Amino acid sequence: MEEEKKVAVKEVVTEDIVTGDQQDFQSKYPRLAASFGSMAGMSTMYPNGSSFLKEKMSLIATDKAEMLEEKWKKLEDDEAALMVKRLDLIAEHFKLVVDAMRGPLHSN
């Protein structure tokens, strides 16, 4: 009976350590942790792939995790720059349409 209690305590402590590591990992590498949101298409190819990666991502070596975090940051920056270009193009498009609606006297 006493041996069963020790095993149960040991299992709870092990689960707490793993959970703590995952949370710590996610706070150190927020972009890497958030990357799972952009992997929606992966679920059709690998139904458990995203949850598997979430559970195991704290196993990645620190230098590799830092490299991935930087790559996700660069991608985020590139996407923001692309959004600005897209918005500029939309503004230009709208301006041309509004100018055309106003007629040739108002165009520049």
Side-chain angles (χ1 to χ4, degrees):
M1 181 78 161
E2 198 170 313
E3 189 175 18
E4 290 176 1
K5 288 181 185 177
K6 287 180 184 178
V7 172
V9 169
K10 200 175 211 177
E11 288 175 328
V12 170
V13 171
T14 302
E15 285 178 16
D16 289 346
I17 290 170
V18 171
T19 302
D21 286 348
Q22 285 177 339
Q23 289 172 349
D24 186 44
F25 187 88
Q26 290 176 6
S27 66
K28 283 182 182 177
Y29 310 106
R31 287 177 183 85
L32 184 53
S35 68
F36 300 108
S38 63
M39 296 184 192
M42 188 173 76
S43 63
T44 56
M45 294 185 298
Y46 307 105
N48 298 323
S50 186
S51 61
F52 172 79
L53 288 175
K54 281 182 188 179
E55 290 171 15
K56 305 298 182 189
M57 73 179 184
S58 62
L59 300 175
I60 298 172
T62 302
D63 60 332
K64 300 292 184 187
E66 287 172 357
M67 179 191 66
L68 281 174
E69 179 73 7
E70 282 302 311
K71 286 183 175 184
W72 279 109
K73 181 185 182 308
K74 178 162 179 3
L75 180 62
E76 195 175 84
D77 292 346
D78 291 347
E79 288 174 338
L82 181 59
M83 180 58 77
V84 169
K85 285 182 178 182
R86 183 179 309 274
L87 291 172
D88 287 345
L89 181 57
I90 290 169
E92 180 183 347
H93 188 158
F94 266 88
K95 183 181 180 326
L96 290 172
V97 169
V98 170
D99 288 348
M101 288 172 49
R102 289 181 178 162
L105 297 176
H106 294 93
S107 299
N108 287 331

